Amino acid sequence: GAGVSQTPSNKVTEKGKYVELRCDPISGHTALYWYRQSLGQGPEFLIYFQGTGAADDSGLPNDRFFAVRPEGSVSTLKIQRTERGDSAVYLCASSIGTGPSNEQFFGPGTRLTVL
Amino acid sequence: QQQVKQSPQSLIVQKGGISIINCAYENTAFDYFPWYQQFPGKGPALLIAIRPDVSEKKEGRFTISFNKSAKQFSLHIMDSQPGDSATYFCAATNRVSGGSYIPTFGRGTSLIVHP
């Protein structure tokens, strides 16, 4: 079956530009998560959605970062006025539930490079 | 401040050997401890996980040992195989304000198993 997909797989942009990263979760998964993984580090939580609403956005580093999930399926992470420090792999994950043992299934990530 | 400390950063093992990765945490609110395996260009995938009321969990060649009083846990890979070569992340989860359980990841261990 189809797993979590993310597009684009790679994105190169210039400092100050706006980017959108897309995540298609596994069908039927109500919870969707965004993480950021810097080189040589583990993923860091950014935001998660339960259905259409952002249930917790405490991991977003600043107000340049925003995410939406308007129909409770596909999600888009939006980054305004990109900075070189935003360069990282952005991972999306989805799960069928939100309990501690509900497995989060990760996509392959979008590698963002800000020049 | 790193909430989950993982060591070693890298590990080289001969085929058939035992790979051991250690993690330690400080936050006693953590209540579930998964391990993830990540191959290059892929997202992390859940390998095995343990609840804090259990001291050991074994699944095939993979065993988690958990010491609640010491706030330490470790992953043992028995009979290590070249196909096990990957980056391994320990994690500790706690419930966030939105109700979901979010993992805090260690920095990862790059495992290479020589044939």
Side-chain angles (χ1 to χ4, degrees):
Chain A
V4 177
S5 62
Q6 293 185 245
T7 54
S9 55
N10 281 283
K11 176 70 177 179
V12 180
T13 191
E14 293 179 343
K15 179 175 178 293
K17 299 291 188 182
Y18 168 83
V19 297
E20 289 189 352
L21 312 178
R22 176 187 168 110
C23 172
D24 283 82
I26 293 172
S27 177
H29 281 194
T30 58
L32 184 146
Y33 308 79
W34 284 99
Y35 294 84
R36 178 167 70 176
Q37 186 173 22
S38 300
L39 190 64
Q41 303 291 321
E44 292 179 302
F45 169 73
L46 296 176
I47 184 172
Y48 100 91
F49 291 85
Q50 180 61 41
T52 60
D56 192 304
D57 64 358
S58 61
L60 294 178
N62 53 59
D63 61 6
R64 295 186 298 105
F65 289 75
F66 189 71
V68 296
R69 193 185 187 200
E71 298 178 357
S73 178
V74 170
S75 176
T76 304
L77 179 66
K78 308 181 180 191
I79 310 174
Q80 299 177 323
R81 304 183 304 280
T82 52
E83 300 177 357
R84 292 194 179 88
D86 299 336
S87 296
V89 174
Y90 289 81
L91 294 164
C92 175
S94 69
S95 65
I96 200 164
T98 57
S101 58
N102 283 123
E103 181 177 353
Q104 293 186 22
F105 294 85
F106 284 82
T110 293
R111 180 175 297 279
L112 175 65
T113 302
V114 182
L115 300 177
Chain B
Q1 183 179 357
Q2 192 181 355
Q3 292 198 57
V4 179
K5 296 182 180 180
Q6 182 171 347
S7 62
Q9 186 174 348
S10 62
L11 182 61
I12 299 174
V13 175
Q14 291 297 122
K15 179 183 176 183
I18 302 173
S19 303
I20 302 174
I21 304 170
N22 301 298
C23 284
Y25 64 97
E26 289 297 324
N27 188 350
T28 55
F30 289 138
D31 51 15
Y32 196 66
F33 300 86
W35 285 86
Y36 291 83
Q37 180 187 55
Q38 185 175 29
F39 292 103
K42 304 291 186 183
L46 179 66
L47 188 63
I48 186 172
I50 195 167
R51 301 173 63 95
D53 54 348
V54 176
S55 61
E56 185 175 282
K57 183 174 181 181
K58 183 176 180 179
E59 289 184 358
R61 296 184 295 108
F62 301 91
T63 300
I64 300 177
S65 296
F66 187 82
N67 185 329
K68 187 173 181 178
S69 61
K71 291 186 283 188
Q72 296 175 346
F73 57 112
S74 61
L75 176 69
H76 294 229
I77 306 175
M78 310 300 288
D79 187 26
S80 299
Q81 299 296 312
D84 297 332
S85 297
T87 300
Y88 292 80
F89 294 95
C90 63
T93 70
N94 65 302
R95 191 174 185 182
V96 296
S97 60
S100 184
Y101 287 80
I102 302 297
T104 299
F105 289 83
R107 288 187 173 179
T109 296
S110 175
L111 171 66
I112 297 174
V113 181
H114 284 309

